[in-house]
Amino acid sequence: MPDDDPTRQALTAKDLLERSHRMRPDVVAVRCGDAVFDVHTPLPPHAEIQPILKDEPEALKVIRHSSAHVMADAVQRLFPGTKVTIGPAIDQGFYYDFDRPQGQFNDEELKRIEQAMLEIIEADLPFSREEISRADAEALFTKLGETYKLDILEGLTEPLSLYRHGDWVDLCEGPHVPSTGLLSAVKLTGVAGAYWRGDERNKMLQRIYGTAFASPKALRQHLAQIEEAKKRDHRKLGKELDLMTFHPWAPASPFFLPRGATVYNLLIDYVRDVYRHRGYDEVITPQIFDAELFHMSGHLPSYAANMYFARTRDESESDEGRFCIKPMNCPGHALIFGASRRSYRELPMRLADFGRLHRYERSGVTQGLTRVRTFCQDDAHIFCTEQQSGEEISDFIDAIYDLYRDFGFSDLHIRVATRPEERLGTDAQWDNAERVLIDAVMHKGLPYDITPGEGVFYGPKLEFHLKDALGRSWQLGTIQFDFNMPERFDLSYVSEHNTPTRPVVLHRAFFGSIERFMGVLIEHVGGAFPVWLAPEQVRIVTVSEKFNEYGAYLRDRCISDRIRLSFDDSHDKLGAKIRQARLMRVPYIAVVGEKEAEGRGVALRSRDEDKDLGFLPIDAFLDRLKRESLPPSRRVS
């Protein structure tokens, strides 16, 4: 049979697998090159394909996308008149947005939807794929009354495809599992409001979230992790541990209470110590600038919607505002560098800044400490020669690995984000910058991924992704080339050949923002900060009032040694005092009674070792706390 025979060109992935005797009941989809297709998709007859089995990582997205279709089918069976919009797979599961005339779904209705999904799964309905013309698709969805699908159709080009299981149909590219029976572990997790196409000017829809896994065991593990995440939620712990609060008069702007402010300042102090060891100079720059600065930097034309503006009394209310509250530090640092004639001998110049920044975030995306409107970055900009950039990046990698280890993060991965289609700078600049970043990582023998097109328009970057105690990934630290700022501010230094030369500018941050890192850290440690970061390192509790004088003496000794403590000399019983200290996650409880007062020591209880350490003389007690008050990397063995 010739290769151009149309019957051979119409073979599906399932046909190809069956011909090679590789079609199994647990095949979910196929891999063809870098792409994933379901078994319903026509492929070239000589396509090299590999089956993807149900328990392989690549199968998960297909399983979740298919589960979204089953959920939408269940919703429309139970609640006629409900319209469907889109239902993608996402990192932790899937969702579908619905326009329901009766409004929001409640918990009881979610249970009914989940039960209907299980019935559809039990029926083991085959998925089928069908290509359709635009005219036929419009006719179908007009008949079904699916107005949102008609809206979606306007942005699509032919060929179009439908997916069906049973009597339910949706406009979809796929891929999907062969049949609903492969979806053995699904769970609906919640409901929320969502605007159509994410635009608050459009109608509010109802978004149902769910998740799905290859097996019930994997689903149970995930649900257990969700429950643990709820216990560790930094918003919940922040309130319970008196770390921070919020107020509607300052939306999405945290108030750090004394205990939270202690942790916050300890984070900054830690980075300041890194700066002292690695040759950074800290600067302080203004909070408010003339808007002309952000015209010069290029931020105003594209970033104005995320900026706050200040207006003085001598300006008209119709004016947009001459002044801007800074959303980033880099333009101010460019002014500092450009304020003097610079020599190559001054480079590298490393300018660090803990200035407060303000960015307008829509209320729908703000969340606790991880997405706020006012924050502080451990921000720095390195002005250096092209030859120095590799060494600066290498030094930063060393510093960030040391830093994350101190905070208890051991699972760290690097991504190299390369040039997007729309960008500044020459191809030669991008070639060199990407090579320098990759060489720095490879020289250290570190694993990395390349994420093509994920660099920002003004330069490529390294992103540092770490996993917390629950296995969730967070992108925090970064180092990034900037081809924009030196040009826009006409920055230069005098080279060794006495010629003006553009500096290389590197943006870098360890934490990202202090607020976001603190939120991640609270959840990572479950509110139980290590001794060196704990807002209260020890609580001294007295057995009775008779020993308050000795307890006060211990308190003063701790204060002299800069130990952070509280002294509970209340009338409460000893058990209640200890219970309260444990609720506040205090690392050490020092109990003092008759034996301790006579022996000049304490009975020490350790949170982390979960046991009584027995009697310790005062000096041994203080030496232990002083040693543990240092970050792990700075303790003498």
Side-chain angles (χ1 to χ4, degrees):
M1 186 179 292
D3 288 347
D4 60 353
D5 189 307
T7 60
R8 295 194 65 186
Q9 294 175 352
L11 293 177
T12 64
K14 180 181 179 181
D15 295 330
L16 294 173
L17 288 176
E18 288 177 339
R19 285 193 169 195
S20 59
H21 307 290
R22 292 183 293 166
M23 188 63 199
R24 296 169 29 171
D26 58 346
V27 169
V28 168
V30 299
R31 187 185 306 105
C32 183
D34 294 330
V36 173
F37 300 95
D38 58 34
V39 299
H40 319 287
T41 303
L43 293 173
H46 299 300
E48 294 185 8
I49 61 173
Q50 291 295 326
I52 297 175
L53 304 183
K54 185 178 179 181
D55 58 357
E56 294 184 47
E58 285 177 293
L60 201 53
K61 186 174 182 180
V62 182
I63 289 170
R64 288 172 172 171
H65 189 180
S66 304
S67 299
H69 277 228
V70 171
M71 178 179 73
D73 181 9
V75 168
Q76 291 195 307
R77 291 187 187 197
L78 293 172
F79 307 102
T82 299
K83 298 177 181 179
V84 298
T85 62
I86 57 172
I90 54 178
D91 284 346
Q92 296 297 317
F94 59 86
Y95 70 80
Y96 234 113
D97 287 345
F98 300 96
D99 183 356
R100 184 192 181 200
Q102 295 83 4
Q104 187 171 343
F105 296 96
N106 59 41
D107 290 343
E108 285 303 314
E109 288 169 333
L110 287 189
K111 292 178 183 177
R112 290 175 59 198
I113 295 167
E114 193 173 289
Q115 181 57 43
M117 290 176 67
L118 296 176
E119 293 170 4
I120 296 168
I121 290 167
E122 181 68 24
D124 195 17
L125 302 173
F127 277 90
S128 62
R129 182 179 186 275
E130 173 189 340
E131 290 197 357
I132 189 171
S133 69
R134 176 180 299 278
D136 287 345
E138 288 175 350
L140 172 65
F141 291 110
T142 299
K143 180 180 178 181
L144 294 174
E146 296 288 6
T147 54
Y148 293 93
K149 295 299 175 182
L150 295 173
D151 191 351
I152 292 170
L153 271 171
E154 292 181 6
L156 301 180
T157 57
E158 297 187 68
L160 306 171
S161 59
L162 303 176
Y163 276 84
R164 299 179 186 270
H165 66 271
D167 295 327
W168 197 81
V169 62
D170 195 9
L171 180 70
C172 185
E173 291 182 346
H176 289 285
V177 297
S179 70
T180 62
L182 269 77
L183 308 175
S184 58
V186 297
K187 180 70 177 177
L188 298 187
T189 57
V191 63
Y195 293 107
W196 169 234
R197 295 195 180 279
D199 190 334
E200 58 194 17
R201 295 169 297 183
N202 291 336
K203 186 171 184 178
M204 174 70 78
L205 306 175
Q206 297 303 307
R207 175 172 294 180
I208 298 179
Y209 286 99
T211 193
F213 284 85
S215 69
K217 179 182 177 181
L219 176 60
R220 287 194 298 272
Q221 290 173 339
H222 175 75
L223 295 177
Q225 186 183 66
I226 289 176
E227 288 306 307
E228 180 62 25
K230 289 178 181 177
K231 295 176 185 176
R232 291 172 176 253
D233 190 315
H234 73 274
R235 294 164 295 183
K236 173 178 176 287
L237 291 175
K239 183 177 181 180
E240 293 175 358
L241 301 178
D242 290 335
L243 299 173
M244 76 270 187
T245 188
F246 291 85
H247 194 280
W249 286 355
S253 302
F255 291 73
F256 288 96
L257 305 177
R259 295 169 68 87
T262 297
V263 178
Y264 194 98
N265 287 324
L266 286 167
L267 294 175
I268 291 176
D269 289 344
Y270 179 95
V271 176
R272 281 194 168 122
D273 199 47
V274 173
Y275 290 164
R276 283 190 288 272
H277 286 84
R278 295 187 178 270
Y280 284 82
D281 292 307
E282 188 176 338
V283 297
I284 299 173
T285 51
Q287 196 79 27
I288 296 177
F289 288 90
D290 192 301
E292 186 58 33
L293 174 70
F294 297 101
H295 278 294
M296 180 178 287
S297 69
H299 289 105
L300 258 188
S302 58
Y303 203 73
N306 299 98
M307 293 174 66
Y308 287 96
F309 293 84
R311 182 183 294 115
T312 61
R313 285 191 174 185
D314 58 359
E315 291 180 277
S316 166
E317 290 188 8
S318 62
D319 293 338
E320 290 187 359
R322 177 185 169 187
F323 297 98
C324 299
I325 302 173
K326 68 176 178 181
M328 67 280 294
N329 289 313
C330 36
H333 292 186
L335 294 183
I336 290 175
F337 185 89
S340 301
R341 182 178 170 88
R342 304 292 181 182
S343 165
Y344 72 95
R345 293 186 179 89
E346 298 177 70
L347 306 184
M349 178 181 290
R350 308 179 188 97
L351 301 181
D353 200 329
F354 291 104
R356 183 142 297 278
L357 308 176
H358 290 79
R359 297 179 187 175
Y360 175 72
E361 301 277 5
R362 291 186 177 184
S363 57
V365 300
T366 56
Q367 184 177 18
L369 295 179
T370 56
R371 197 75 179 265
V372 292
R373 291 178 178 173
T374 176
F375 58 95
C376 168
Q377 290 183 323
D378 62 324
D379 200 13
H381 295 89
I382 301 170
F383 300 83
C384 63
T385 68
E386 186 175 313
Q387 293 73 24
Q388 292 168 334
S389 61
E391 186 176 345
E392 291 299 311
I393 292 164
S394 178
D395 181 76
F396 176 76
I397 293 172
D398 289 340
I400 204 167
Y401 268 80
D402 289 345
L403 181 147
Y404 288 152
R405 276 193 291 267
D406 271 347
F407 287 93
F409 296 102
S410 57
D411 193 338
L412 183 61
H413 190 76
I414 297 174
R415 294 182 185 172
V416 184
T418 60
R419 69 194 73 186
E421 289 187 13
E422 299 292 329
R423 58 185 182 269
L424 299 175
T426 65
D427 286 346
Q429 284 178 306
W430 281 87
D431 289 342
N432 180 67
E434 290 171 356
R435 177 185 55 77
V436 170
L437 292 172
I438 293 171
D439 285 353
V441 178
M442 291 183 64
H443 181 70
K444 296 185 180 300
L446 299 171
Y448 69 94
D449 292 325
I450 294 178
T451 51
E454 292 297 313
V456 293
F457 71 94
Y458 53 80
K461 60 180 175 176
L462 297 183
E463 296 177 347
F464 295 83
H465 295 252
L466 54 81
K467 287 188 178 179
D468 65 12
L470 296 181
R472 299 170 300 183
S473 183
W474 300 88
Q475 192 265 301
L476 296 172
T478 185
I479 188 164
Q480 180 171 341
F481 279 86
D482 186 342
F483 306 137
N484 177 55
M485 198 159 65
E487 293 293 332
R488 282 188 171 270
F489 287 90
D490 194 24
L491 302 181
S492 67
Y493 66 92
V494 179
S495 74
E496 57 187 342
H497 303 296
N498 204 33
T499 56
T501 306
R502 286 270 185 263
V504 170
V505 175
L506 301 172
H507 297 258
R508 52 114 300 228
F510 296 122
F511 295 149
S513 81
I514 309 296
E515 283 75 5
R516 187 165 183 264
F517 183 81
M518 188 168 165
V520 172
L521 181 65
I522 290 169
E523 297 189 6
H524 179 61
V525 301
F529 293 104
V531 176
W532 68 279
L533 272 177
E536 181 183 349
Q537 296 172 306
V538 62
R539 183 170 296 188
I540 299 170
V541 300
T542 54
V543 173
S544 72
E545 294 176 34
K546 292 189 297 183
F547 308 105
N548 284 355
E549 183 177 347
Y550 176 61
Y553 167 75
L554 281 175
R555 175 198 61 200
D556 294 342
R557 287 288 304 272
C558 287
I559 291 172
S560 296
D561 283 342
R562 298 181 180 276
I563 303 299
R564 299 183 294 278
L565 82 154
S566 67
F567 176 33
D568 188 347
D569 59 353
S570 67
H571 298 294
D572 293 339
K573 292 183 178 180
L574 178 62
K577 294 179 180 181
I578 291 173
R579 187 162 51 252
Q580 183 58 31
R582 285 177 172 167
L583 286 173
M584 296 303 288
R585 315 288 207 278
V586 180
Y588 286 112
I589 304 172
V591 179
V592 294
E594 183 175 1
K595 176 183 175 183
E596 291 74 33
E598 290 178 355
R600 312 305 282 176
V602 300
L604 198 62
R605 302 183 180 210
S606 168
R607 177 200 68 197
D608 296 337
E609 296 182 48
D610 194 24
K611 66 180 182 181
D612 292 342
L613 302 179
F615 178 86
L616 266 73
I618 291 176
D619 288 343
F621 159 64
L622 293 175
D623 286 345
R624 182 184 185 113
L625 281 171
K626 284 189 289 186
R627 181 179 181 276
E628 293 184 25
S629 293
L630 296 172
S633 64
R634 294 167 200 171
R635 296 174 193 167
V636 178
S637 301

Coordinates of all heavy atoms in Angstrom, one line a residue, residues 49 57 84 92 99 111 115 205 215 224 236 256 269 329 353 369 419 460 497 506 529 560 576 594 597:
I49 N 5.7 6.4 18.2 CA 4.9 6.7 19.4 C 5.3 5.8 20.6 O 5.7 4.7 20.3 CB 3.4 6.7 19.2 CG1 3.0 5.3 18.7 CG2 3.0 7.8 18.2 CD1 1.5 5.2 18.6
P57 N 3.9 10.0 35.2 CA 3.6 11.4 35.5 C 2.9 12.1 34.4 O 2.0 12.9 34.6 CB 5.0 12.0 35.8 CG 5.8 10.8 36.2 CD 5.3 9.6 35.5
V84 N -21.6 25.8 30.4 CA -20.2 25.5 30.7 C -19.3 26.5 29.9 O -19.7 27.0 28.8 CB -19.9 24.1 30.3 CG1 -20.7 23.1 31.2 CG2 -20.1 23.8 28.9
Q92 N -2.6 21.4 40.5 CA -3.0 20.5 41.6 C -4.4 19.8 41.3 O -5.0 19.2 42.2 CB -3.2 21.4 42.9 CG -1.9 21.9 43.4 CD -0.9 20.9 43.8 OE1 -1.3 19.9 44.4 NE2 0.3 21.0 43.5
D99 N -21.9 29.0 34.4 CA -22.9 30.1 34.5 C -24.1 29.4 35.0 O -24.9 28.8 34.2 CB -23.1 30.8 33.2 CG -24.0 32.0 33.3 OD1 -24.6 32.2 34.4 OD2 -24.2 32.7 32.3
K111 N -21.3 17.5 46.9 CA -21.3 16.1 47.2 C -22.2 15.3 46.1 O -21.8 14.2 45.7 CB -21.9 15.8 48.6 CG -21.0 16.3 49.7 CD -21.6 16.1 51.1 CE -20.7 16.6 52.2 NZ -21.4 16.5 53.5
Q115 N -20.9 12.5 43.5 CA -21.5 11.2 43.4 C -22.0 10.9 41.9 O -21.8 9.8 41.4 CB -22.8 11.1 44.3 CG -23.5 9.8 44.3 CD -22.6 8.6 44.6 OE1 -21.8 8.7 45.6 NE2 -22.8 7.5 43.9
L205 N -18.9 34.0 37.3 CA -19.2 32.6 37.1 C -18.9 31.8 38.4 O -18.3 32.4 39.3 CB -18.4 32.0 35.9 CG -18.5 32.8 34.6 CD1 -17.5 32.2 33.6 CD2 -19.9 32.8 34.1
S215 N -4.5 6.7 41.2 CA -5.0 5.7 42.1 C -5.6 6.3 43.3 O -5.3 7.4 43.7 CB -3.8 4.8 42.5 OG -2.9 5.5 43.3
A224 N -4.5 14.1 52.3 CA -3.9 14.3 53.6 C -2.9 15.5 53.6 O -2.8 16.2 54.6 CB -3.1 13.0 54.0
K236 N -3.5 31.4 59.0 CA -4.0 30.9 60.2 C -3.0 30.9 61.3 O -3.3 31.4 62.4 CB -4.4 29.4 60.0 CG -4.9 28.6 61.2 CD -5.3 27.2 60.7 CE -5.6 26.3 61.9 NZ -4.4 25.9 62.7
F256 N 2.7 43.9 60.9 CA 3.5 42.9 61.6 C 3.5 43.3 63.1 O 3.9 44.3 63.5 CB 4.9 42.8 61.1 CG 5.0 42.1 59.7 CD1 5.0 42.9 58.6 CD2 5.0 40.8 59.6 CE1 5.1 42.3 57.3 CE2 5.1 40.1 58.4 CZ 5.1 40.9 57.3
D269 N 18.3 41.1 59.0 CA 19.6 41.0 59.6 C 20.5 39.9 59.0 O 21.7 40.1 58.8 CB 19.5 40.8 61.1 CG 19.0 42.0 61.8 OD1 19.0 43.1 61.2 OD2 18.6 41.9 63.0
N329 N 13.1 49.0 43.0 CA 14.3 49.8 43.4 C 15.2 50.2 42.2 O 16.0 51.1 42.3 CB 15.1 49.1 44.4 CG 14.4 49.1 45.8 OD1 13.9 50.1 46.2 ND2 14.3 47.9 46.4
D353 N 19.3 47.2 48.8 CA 18.3 48.2 49.2 C 17.1 47.4 49.9 O 16.7 46.4 49.3 CB 17.7 48.9 48.0 CG 17.0 50.2 48.4 OD1 16.4 50.3 49.4 OD2 17.0 51.2 47.5
L369 N 0.5 36.8 53.0 CA 1.8 37.4 52.8 C 2.4 37.1 51.5 O 3.3 37.8 51.0 CB 2.8 36.9 53.9 CG 2.5 37.3 55.3 CD1 3.6 36.7 56.2 CD2 2.5 38.8 55.5
R419 N 15.4 33.8 26.1 CA 14.8 34.9 25.4 C 13.4 34.7 25.0 O 13.0 33.7 24.4 CB 15.7 35.3 24.2 CG 15.7 34.3 23.1 CD 16.8 34.5 22.1 NE 18.1 34.1 22.7 CZ 19.3 34.3 22.1 NH1 19.3 34.9 20.9 NH2 20.4 33.9 22.7
P460 N 17.8 37.5 30.2 CA 17.6 36.1 30.7 C 17.9 36.1 32.2 O 18.5 37.0 32.8 CB 18.6 35.3 29.9 CG 19.7 36.2 29.6 CD 19.1 37.6 29.5
H497 N 41.0 51.2 29.1 CA 41.5 51.9 27.9 C 41.0 53.3 27.8 O 41.1 53.9 26.7 CB 41.0 51.1 26.6 CG 41.4 49.6 26.7 ND1 42.7 49.2 26.7 CD2 40.6 48.5 26.7 CE1 42.8 47.9 26.7 NE2 41.5 47.5 26.8
L506 N 23.1 43.4 36.8 CA 22.4 42.1 37.2 C 21.5 42.5 38.4 O 21.9 43.0 39.4 CB 23.5 41.1 37.7 CG 24.6 40.7 36.7 CD1 25.6 39.9 37.5 CD2 23.9 39.9 35.6
F529 N 9.4 28.0 64.4 CA 10.7 28.6 64.0 C 11.9 28.0 64.7 O 11.8 27.7 65.9 CB 10.7 30.1 64.2 CG 9.7 30.9 63.4 CD1 8.6 31.4 63.9 CD2 9.9 31.1 62.0 CE1 7.6 32.1 63.2 CE2 9.0 31.8 61.3 CZ 7.9 32.3 61.8
S560 N 20.7 40.0 79.1 CA 22.1 40.5 79.0 C 22.8 39.7 77.9 O 23.7 40.2 77.2 CB 22.9 40.2 80.3 OG 22.3 41.1 81.4
A576 N -0.7 24.7 83.0 CA -1.3 25.7 82.1 C -0.3 26.6 81.5 O -0.4 26.9 80.3 CB -2.4 26.5 82.9
E594 N 12.0 24.9 93.4 CA 12.9 24.9 94.5 C 14.2 24.3 94.2 O 15.3 24.8 94.5 CB 12.2 24.1 95.7 CG 13.1 24.1 96.9 CD 12.4 23.4 98.1 OE1 11.2 22.9 97.9 OE2 13.0 23.3 99.2
A597 N 16.2 26.7 91.9 CA 16.6 27.9 92.6 C 17.8 27.6 93.5 O 18.8 28.3 93.5 CB 15.5 28.5 93.4

